Amino acid sequence: MIRDRLLSEVKDADIAYMYDPRENSRWGLLRGIPALYYLGVNDFTYPTSWCQFNRGDRHFELDYEYHVVSNGLDIPDSNPEFGVVTNDHYEHETPYTIKYLINRYTVADATLFVLTDSKRFEPQDAKRPLYQDPCAELIGSYNTVYDAFERAYNEAGWQLPLTDTKNLFLQDNANLFEFVEGRTVTTTTELFSKLPENPYLPLYDAMSSVFSRPDELGTVPLDGDNGKPELVRWLRRRIEWDRDTARGVVTNLNQAVIDDGSRFDKAAARRTPAVRDAYLEAKKLDSNDSPINNRYTTWLQRYNL
């Protein structure tokens, strides 16, 4: 299993460390969240503004537990395996240091997974970079981790078809589209253009969260002054897009909701032929073959038909 391979050298570590040297780590650093999630991490923290719209609702791409960690007080008492994503700016220019998490997990039985923007990331008040700490073990760069996942996907009979991202969750959505539709998408923008008409894709759920309102039926377009820029930033945290590309995608998603108020409405989605077709196609997968097959089967059959 990919987890066993990647974590064999860090299985007894208090801290497992990974770095992703983004040119500007405000953008794209969360592309690593799915990799950690697929390694079994279900509890995360990262800067709240990276998932929050206008200090209001929080939106997530996967079904993990998000925690606002201040002085270590919001860490579950059970000390689960925990993932933190941060960068040098947040560690040293804001009050949101991760040293409380490090201190907590150096005496816990579970592992703290840390993803930052630099191999030489140094927590506040530390005397050395984190990867040199005796309690930490280096998994490697995110590119190394991604390459290991790519080999595991290939061995399980799957590819990573998108050429412009290393976000595994988006790669999964591209695989599902090809599996159900028999057509390949090779870019993230092409994938998003297919999204409004294919609600069986798990990415659809994230956009449902963005466009739905708890007190209104159907979905509601985003406001041009606030809502659309917030979604642009949300996407750029997770996808290697420049601002213009993200703006174009958000404009198209918003227009889909303007044209049809049932787009990204999960209640309406379950009644679509696309969801039923995907549900039936999933029966061709053996969920016991691999964790990937199991994940894909669960996603394609998540609607109660």
Side-chain angles (χ1 to χ4, degrees):
M1 289 177 59
I2 182 65
R3 176 181 170 85
D4 295 334
R5 278 187 230 162
L6 274 173
L7 302 184
S8 61
E9 296 182 4
V10 302
K11 62 182 180 181
D12 296 323
D14 297 320
I15 302 163
Y17 183 59
M18 184 193 313
Y19 61 95
D20 190 6
R22 306 290 300 151
E23 182 177 348
N24 181 345
S25 59
R26 290 182 303 160
W27 312 120
L29 196 58
L30 291 185
R31 68 180 183 168
I33 285 277
L36 291 174
Y37 182 77
Y38 298 162
L39 290 174
V41 181
N42 292 293
D43 292 81
F44 287 91
T45 189
Y46 48 80
T48 305
S49 63
W50 293 6
C51 66
Q52 193 172 39
F53 282 28
N54 294 321
R55 300 183 179 274
D57 293 339
R58 298 169 189 161
H59 305 283
F60 309 102
E61 65 277 48
L62 288 159
D63 188 24
Y64 53 77
E65 294 294 325
Y66 176 79
H67 303 271
V68 179
V69 178
S70 178
N71 296 345
L73 297 178
D74 190 38
I75 306 172
D77 292 338
S78 59
N79 287 330
E81 292 193 336
F82 202 92
V84 55
V85 183
T86 190
N87 59 21
D88 281 323
H89 170 78
Y90 271 89
E91 183 65 19
H92 294 285
E93 305 298 329
T94 77
Y96 307 113
T97 174
I98 68 169
K99 64 182 180 181
Y100 304 101
L101 280 166
I102 292 172
N103 292 340
R104 173 75 169 266
Y105 273 81
T106 53
V107 296
D109 291 333
T111 300
L112 175 68
F113 290 79
V114 179
L115 170 60
T116 73
D117 58 338
S118 168
K119 182 179 180 180
R120 300 196 62 82
F121 173 86
E122 195 170 299
Q124 282 189 22
D125 303 328
K127 293 182 170 55
R128 60 179 71 88
L130 181 60
Y131 83 94
Q132 294 179 347
D133 191 293
C135 295
E137 292 288 346
L138 183 66
I139 299 177
S141 71
Y142 179 67
N143 284 339
T144 300
V145 172
Y146 183 85
D147 289 345
F149 268 99
E150 185 169 28
R151 290 191 294 273
Y153 273 67
N154 291 341
E155 290 169 7
W158 298 97
Q159 305 297 316
L160 301 180
L162 299 176
T163 60
D164 58 348
T165 187
K166 291 189 174 181
N167 182 314
L168 288 169
F169 179 59
L170 295 185
Q171 298 286 3
D172 285 334
N173 278 266
N175 273 336
L176 290 175
F177 178 82
E178 180 175 357
F179 177 73
V180 174
E181 306 295 330
R183 293 176 287 145
T184 303
V185 291
T186 59
T187 67
T188 50
T189 51
E190 186 181 7
L191 173 65
F192 272 83
S193 73
K194 307 297 184 184
L195 189 58
E197 295 181 354
N198 294 285
Y200 59 85
L201 296 175
L203 181 58
Y204 195 94
D205 294 353
M207 294 302 101
S208 295
S209 170
V210 169
F211 287 103
S212 297
R213 302 293 181 272
D215 55 348
E216 299 185 47
L217 296 175
T219 49
V220 179
L222 298 175
D223 176 81
D225 294 330
N226 293 308
K228 288 173 67 177
E230 291 287 345
L231 181 55
V232 166
R233 287 188 283 270
W234 189 91
L235 290 168
R236 292 187 69 200
R237 310 284 189 203
R238 294 155 176 81
I239 309 172
E240 304 91 328
W241 281 343
D242 58 35
R243 184 169 57 182
D244 288 342
T245 300
R247 281 177 173 172
V249 170
V250 169
T251 296
N252 291 338
L253 294 174
N254 208 47
Q255 189 61 49
V257 176
I258 292 171
D259 294 341
D260 183 348
S262 67
R263 294 295 190 204
F264 302 114
D265 177 10
K266 292 181 70 174
R270 74 178 66 253
R271 300 189 294 269
T272 64
V275 163
R276 183 169 295 278
D277 291 346
Y279 189 95
L280 295 174
E281 285 295 312
K283 295 180 181 295
K284 299 177 182 178
L285 291 172
D286 185 346
S287 60
N288 295 315
D289 269 358
S290 69
I292 301 168
N293 276 23
N294 183 61
R295 187 162 67 243
Y296 288 1
T297 301
T298 300
W299 274 331
L300 293 177
Q301 297 188 334
R302 70 190 185 280
Y303 290 97
N304 293 321
L305 301 183

